[in-house]
Amino acid sequence: YMSNISYKDAGVDIDAGNEFVEAIKADVKSTFDANVIGGIGSFAGAYALPSGYKEPVILSATDGVGTKLKIAIESGKLDTIGIDLVAMCVNDLICNNGIPMFFLDYYATGKLLPQNAKDVVAGITTGCREAECALVGGETAEMPGMYSENDFDLAGFAVGIAEKSEMDTVSNVKVGQALVAMPSSGIHSNGYSLVRKLFFNKLGMSLDSEFDGKPLVDTLLTPTRIYVKDYKANKN
């Protein structure tokens, strides 16, 4: 009796997973640099340490995109939320003078829809190219019963490198210095529970409502700006 039960009967489609992996291979490879060892599909991603550091320090950061993801799911616009995922991790690295080296993602869903997952990863690879870091691995988990079929969640993990002597950023702060603010691309990926409460509950707006001359959904899904190139330019 037990031999007649398959993964597919349990709601897990292995064929869909394989289709998804094949579909993203070229996009993922486009993020690789000379330090990536091997390709995708192994149990772990390998990355050679960059040279030129006297006392290299490895930094790590992890984050998600919060309930901004819910807006992406409800609108069906999934091709930029991956940019947010990368941004929320790599921007934290540069706050500690860390140059991003590589990135990994975790995608958990109730039912794996290869096209939706491909759109999400396309955004992640776009973000990785913008951040000049390699997407060396990821995990896709299909978990019926944990998530509804239309729901999924994302987590990102970034690893960077810094010079140990540059880690103490507080010591560089002196009396009389000016604080320069860089304009953001929008709300980024923080506080969307409050954003949704304000626009949808308090103001009674919908994703299709016009805001600042365009649909509200376009404003709310504007990708988080990735500041890595700006940081590198000012650092050099």
Side-chain angles (χ1 to χ4, degrees), residues 15-84:
D15 292 334
N18 292 335
E19 176 189 338
F20 164 61
V21 171
E22 286 299 318
I24 65 172
K25 276 186 176 179
D27 221 10
V28 171
K29 192 173 181 180
S30 72
T31 70
F32 287 4
D33 59 25
N35 293 315
V36 176
I37 301 171
I40 67 171
S42 186
F43 288 98
Y47 193 91
L49 282 179
S51 59
Y53 289 84
K54 295 178 180 178
E55 293 182 283
V57 175
I58 302 299
L59 296 87
S60 61
T62 183
D63 211 336
V65 293
T67 54
K68 186 173 187 176
L69 182 59
K70 188 169 182 64
I71 295 174
I73 293 171
E74 290 176 349
S75 67
K77 296 170 65 69
L78 302 175
D79 58 335
T80 61
I81 199 70
I83 300 175
D84 293 285

Side-chain angles (χ1 to χ4, degrees), residues 21-186:
V21 171
E22 286 299 318
I24 65 172
K25 276 186 176 179
D27 221 10
V28 171
K29 192 173 181 180
S30 72
T31 70
F32 287 4
D33 59 25
N35 293 315
V36 176
I37 301 171
I40 67 171
S42 186
F43 288 98
Y47 193 91
L49 282 179
S51 59
Y53 289 84
K54 295 178 180 178
E55 293 182 283
V57 175
I58 302 299
L59 296 87
S60 61
T62 183
D63 211 336
V65 293
T67 54
K68 186 173 187 176
L69 182 59
K70 188 169 182 64
I71 295 174
I73 293 171
E74 290 176 349
S75 67
K77 296 170 65 69
L78 302 175
D79 58 335
T80 61
I81 199 70
I83 300 175
D84 293 285
L85 185 67
V86 175
M88 297 304 289
C89 296
V90 298
N91 286 346
D92 283 354
L93 291 181
I94 62 176
C95 287
N96 288 286
N97 281 333
I99 300 293
M101 296 187 297
F102 58 87
F103 187 85
L104 300 97
D105 70 276
Y106 176 72
Y107 180 106
T109 183
K111 181 177 178 58
L112 180 61
L113 301 174
Q115 185 56 54
N116 286 357
K118 185 175 181 294
D119 287 345
V120 172
V121 173
I124 293 172
T125 57
T126 297
C128 283
R129 288 191 294 268
E130 178 65 25
E132 298 179 335
C133 69
L135 179 59
V136 298
E139 170 69 10
T140 304
E142 190 173 23
M143 298 189 288
M146 181 68 74
Y147 299 92
S148 69
E149 285 195 358
N150 294 326
D151 272 340
F152 64 89
D153 201 5
L154 293 174
F157 313 88
V159 175
I161 188 168
E163 190 68 71
K164 186 177 181 180
S165 62
E166 298 177 358
M167 292 294 297
D168 185 10
T169 55
V170 176
S171 64
N172 295 325
V173 179
K174 309 294 181 184
V175 174
Q177 289 179 331
L179 180 64
V180 179
M182 299 178 67
S184 76
S185 55

